[in-house]
Amino acid sequence: MIEGRANELPDFQVFQTVIKYCLIIIVVPVFSFFITKVVLFDAILRLEPVTSSVYSAVVAVIVLHVTLGLYIYRAYSETEKPSKPVKKD
């Protein structure tokens, strides 16, 4: 029973990592769109609504690509830890 749980743990950690990055990939670009639109382009630079929306969309796409790049980098840079053989008495 313990051996079965040991095999499930890495799968669960992979699942947690994928869910975490999925949420980051969805939430961070949406927040960056609205924050840059409201704060930077509307309040500080006082651009027209259509122009500020276009610039905010460009910022959100750039942020999306950065988060996707981080996920891909994490996926390729993970190294498999060699499992130690279990000694049987």
Side-chain angles (χ1 to χ4, degrees):
M1 183 166 167
I2 293 174
E3 292 173 10
R5 296 285 288 169
N7 289 336
E8 291 176 13
L9 186 61
D11 292 338
F12 184 69
Q13 288 175 346
V14 169
F15 179 73
Q16 279 183 328
T17 303
V18 169
I19 291 297
K20 180 177 69 172
Y21 274 99
C22 284
L23 289 174
I24 289 171
I25 288 169
I26 292 170
V27 171
V28 172
V30 171
F31 279 144
S32 69
F33 173 83
F34 287 109
I35 289 171
T36 56
K37 179 173 176 22
V38 171
V39 175
L40 181 64
F41 297 124
D42 287 344
I44 296 174
L45 298 177
R46 298 177 191 229
L47 297 176
E48 294 181 16
V50 174
T51 307
S52 68
S53 294
V54 170
Y55 288 154
S56 298
V58 169
V59 169
V61 168
I62 291 170
V63 169
L64 173 66
H65 281 85
V66 168
T67 56
L68 284 172
L70 290 173
Y71 175 71
I72 292 169
Y73 175 76
R74 167 92 189 251
Y76 280 114
S77 68
E78 284 186 358
T79 57
E80 285 288 323
K81 296 178 182 176
S83 60
K84 297 180 182 178
V86 178
K87 292 183 179 181
K88 292 185 180 181
D89 292 326

